Amino acid sequence: MAREQYSVGLDIGTQNIRVVQAKWDESSDAASVIGAVAVPSFGMRKGVIVDIEEAVSSISSALEN
C-alpha cells in the first residue's frame, strides 16, 4: 500500500500569513487542496521581522487553524 503524501505551503507576509495543505494523488498525479487559512500578520514591517515573539505567535496561529 502506498503512503499518503502531503505538502504544506507557508507564506509569511507583512499583512497576512497564509498556509495551504494539499494531498497528492499518485493515480492521477495531481494535488487536491484539503485546507487553507489566512491570518493577520503581526511583528512584521515591510517584509522584515521587527518583533520575533509576535511573528512566532502569528505563524503558530495560522498553523493551528
Side-chain angles (χ1 to χ4, degrees), residues 3-10 18-25 29-36 63:
R3 288 182 19 185
E4 294 179 341
Q5 294 184 356
Y6 295 90
S7 293
V8 176
L10 175 64
R18 296 176 179 93
V19 178
V20 64
Q21 182 180 14
K23 180 178 178 181
W24 288 96
D25 183 6
D29 198 28
S32 299
V33 174
I34 59 174
L63 293 173

Side-chain angles (χ1 to χ4, degrees), residues 2-52:
R3 288 182 19 185
E4 294 179 341
Q5 294 184 356
Y6 295 90
S7 293
V8 176
L10 175 64
D11 175 35
I12 303 172
T14 302
Q15 297 294 318
N16 293 299
I17 295 176
R18 296 176 179 93
V19 178
V20 64
Q21 182 180 14
K23 180 178 178 181
W24 288 96
D25 183 6
E26 291 181 13
S27 62
S28 65
D29 198 28
S32 299
V33 174
I34 59 174
V37 67
V39 299
S41 178
F42 298 104
M44 302 282 294
R45 187 175 308 133
K46 295 184 180 179
V48 177
I49 296 175
V50 294
D51 186 339
I52 190 70

